[in-house]
Amino acid sequence: MTKPYEGPLATQFIGTPSEIYDESGDFWVVDFPRSITHHHTYGLLTPFFKGLTEGKLMATKCTNPECTENSTWLPPRADCPDCYARTEWVEAPTVGKIYAYTMLDYAGIGIEMETPYWQVDVQLEGVDTIFKGWLKQGKPVTGMPVRAEFRTNNPTHTILDVCWVPIED
Amino acid sequence: MIKFGKGNLRVPQWSRRVFMVAGGCTPFRKYFPEYKLEELVMMGYKMMLEDNDLKMSPKEIKDSIQYCAYGEFADHFQDQLLCEAKIHDYLGLDPLWNNGIKTGGATGGAAVLNGAMAVASGYADTVLVCGWERMDEVDTRTGNFYISTAACKDFETRMGRIYSSYYAPMANRFAEAYNLSEVTRAKVAVKNRGYAMSNPNAQQPGHHTVDEVLASRMSAYPLRFLECCAMTAGSASVLLCNEEMAYKLSDHPVELFMAGGTHTLRVADRRHMEIPLLPNEPEGMYDELLADSGRWPGFESFLAARFAAYLAYRMAGVHEPLEELDLVELHDAFTISDIQTYGDIGLRPYGQEPDYIESGDAYFGGKCPSNLSGGLLGTMHAVGATGIWQAAEVLWQIQGKYDKFHGEDKWWQRAGKQKPADWKSLQVPDAKQGLWISHAGVGSHVTCGILRKAW
Ligand SMILES: [Zn+2]
């Protein structure tokens, strides 16, 4: 049973004093630091992220005969937005063509690739969407053929486990 | 190709007419430590109550409000959940109902649309729409990361952690598809930052040259720093009313027509869609363009903006946007997104967007000038406030009050600035109708509002 209130308490401050960041005017600006970890689920898309660690690009396809679109999705999605049927896993091709690109010079905090680097959007045969990724080497041109490379050793367990490299011919 | 359901294309019909009568805002700054957030909100709100020639006292207006729509982009930036409750209490508006609105960069527009729905439905006769953002509690790169969490955290955020990197691929694609030069893009930055020179509240005004823009530091190729908006602290408010209250409050009320549209957050997920045609676009006019590009909106255009305009033009009875609109305020968070929108809202047909700039139509004195306020590039992007402030700027143009709110010494003093000796009025003569676009994500949410002189 919970103990009832038993009388007066003596309490100490056990936190960390906030630093004053700026007092250059009539105001105080004080620091509220913060460090947080989120436990994030990949849910029904977990096979996609597992697939990356096995060198596979797993997409989903709606196979419902009633569906007007039967689209193939990469990034995958578990539910078809056109007919609401559950989609099925299919392997997407690991070669494609550059659809769009940018060179990222000034990135936000926490960036995990050395900057600058090329971010690329890759069009894959049979996939209805265009797949965003990063180019490990070379310089992109619209229409340039590329193949996927997977970080199967020491994977990051994130989307960064797949990147693209130019196909030399 | 994705086709829309007939029911999905119904044009909104409001039960009552909706009017805008007043607007207010703070000066906009990168760092604003002199005031707490609620104090900044009070500043813009009081300006709305006191400085708009309303025919009732601030106290009487406060006593007439029945509902509030509050726009705030990100709890991350404020580091405060339920900020709406703090602000609402601070403005002394309890126990009136309020809704906190969040639709990314379109939050301000969405708050206006929400407030308009309250008037149109009869829930309220007088509505406060108010928005804010305080982006100065974190350093710039952390701020960039926060904003990038408005990209898909599973598939996109880690690819850049900065929003410019989600627009930049569209810029490269657009340049190739529609023959857009870097110079035209840079001209948008020169124009809007130049107009910001006349705005006492502007955060980053400047008389730049095209060469300076193109020589500024690269963010994500091809977008340079001077082509990207800043992070801002500030607030904005507008007052919406039904017809009776509008004329009781103002001799110069402005009627509002407004709608919104949406599209995938991930640009990658855009599939080929049919193009909803604007009132002046004949069937089949884009067959050739589609045969070339193979997909619409692709990376070139925004379905959300097109759909919002599709509805709003029909609500307002606008047939020829370029002829019937006297000015527009567009969401120029990046030069490229500004240009992309010209086609979506029919300032030019798709494929001819650069001509809106090159023809001179977009400039003060041109056919339909854009972003005379200085826009997001020159004046502000305190995200939750942005779409509300843009509306206020259009309102003041139609009311003939550009000079009052941009030229009077009082506002320059409030902003702690000296009015430039070469200050120039950007009042559009006899402006009767204007439009503003509020835009989120990489085109995930877009509102299109039309304001029309109603006296
Ligand atoms: Zn389906």
Side-chain angles (χ1 to χ4, degrees), chain A residues 111-113 117 158-160, chain B residues 156-161 166:
Chain A
I111 193 74
E112 294 152 287
M113 280 82 76
Y117 69 91
T158 72
I159 187 62
L160 301 181
Chain B
E156 292 178 315
T157 299
R158 300 188 112 92
M159 297 290 173
R161 295 178 181 247
Y166 310 117

Side-chain angles (χ1 to χ4, degrees), chain B residues 25 36 116 135 186 191 194 203 210 215 221 223 238 240 247 264 281 297 313 316 332 341 348 404 409 438:
Chain B
C25 65
K36 285 175 62 59
M135 306 173 86
K191 173 174 80 68
Q203 181 178 336
V210 164
Y221 172 79
L223 300 176
V238 295
L240 302 182
Y247 289 93
T264 61
E281 292 178 338
Y313 286 156
D332 55 334
T341 305
R348 281 294 182 281
K404 171 184 163 86
D409 285 335
S438 191

Side-chain angles (χ1 to χ4, degrees), chain B residues 125-374:
Chain B
D125 290 338
T126 308
V127 170
L128 168 65
V129 180
C130 173
W132 57 81
E133 211 74 37
R134 143 141 267 151
M135 306 173 86
D136 61 356
E137 287 207 357
V138 293
D139 65 72
T140 303
R141 280 183 194 260
T142 303
N144 285 134
F145 168 64
Y146 277 178
I147 297 166
S148 78
T149 61
C152 172
K153 74 191 225 180
D154 290 312
F155 294 97
E156 292 178 315
T157 299
R158 300 188 112 92
M159 297 290 173
R161 295 178 181 247
I162 189 165
Y163 233 80
S164 55
S165 79
Y166 310 117
Y167 277 96
M170 306 182 94
N172 287 322
R173 188 82 205 173
F174 193 104
E176 289 177 16
Y178 296 160
N179 195 26
L180 169 69
S181 74
E182 300 230 281
V183 169
T184 305
R185 250 188 21 245
K187 283 179 181 173
V188 173
V190 170
K191 173 174 80 68
N192 298 358
R193 286 171 186 269
Y195 291 155
M197 291 296 288
S198 288
N199 192 332
N201 302 318
Q203 181 178 336
Q204 39 190 32
H207 289 307
H208 295 285
T209 62
V210 164
D211 288 344
E212 269 171 48
V213 172
L214 294 178
S216 67
R217 172 155 189 201
M218 193 65 77
S219 177
Y221 172 79
L223 300 176
R224 277 77 164 182
F225 268 42
L226 286 174
E227 296 183 74
C228 306
C229 64
M231 284 182 233
T232 305
S235 84
S237 294
V238 295
L239 196 64
L240 302 182
C241 303
N242 70 335
E243 191 168 356
E244 189 191 343
M245 193 62 187
Y247 289 93
K248 211 181 270 180
L249 272 173
S250 174
D251 291 330
H252 303 98
V254 169
E255 187 164 6
L256 171 66
F257 307 89
M258 194 169 191
T262 59
H263 204 191
T264 61
L265 179 60
R266 293 189 301 242
V267 174
D269 284 24
R270 295 173 168 195
R271 293 175 294 171
H272 182 37
M273 305 273 173
E274 64 179 324
I275 303 180
L277 295 171
L278 298 180
N280 64 343
E281 292 178 338
E283 288 286 340
M285 83 172 272
Y286 291 122
D287 289 354
E288 209 172 304
L289 182 117
L290 287 176
D292 284 350
S293 69
R295 62 198 293 156
W296 184 87
F299 277 35
E300 291 85 10
S301 301
F302 299 116
L303 168 64
R306 171 46 70 110
F307 189 62
Y310 172 95
L311 295 176
Y313 286 156
R314 285 169 170 85
M315 288 174 85
V318 169
H319 293 277
E320 297 288 344
L322 197 65
E323 308 298 328
E324 295 170 40
L325 298 171
D326 299 305
L327 73 148
V328 295
E329 286 286 331
L330 306 181
H331 186 98
D332 55 334
F334 302 99
T335 51
I336 185 61
S337 53
D338 196 68
I339 292 167
Q340 288 170 284
T341 305
Y342 306 158
D344 297 320
I345 65 171
L347 295 172
R348 281 294 182 281
Y350 283 127
Q352 296 171 37
E353 289 88 339
D355 188 54
Y356 173 59
I357 294 293
E358 294 301 337
S359 66
D361 285 354
Y363 288 81
F364 182 69
K367 218 169 190 177
C368 178
S370 75
N371 295 26
L372 298 172
S373 67

Side-chain angles (χ1 to χ4, degrees), chain A residues 62-64 67-71 80-85:
Chain A
C62 177
T63 57
N64 175 10
C67 184
T68 53
E69 304 301 327
N70 292 127
S71 290
C80 173
D82 301 311
C83 69
Y84 303 149

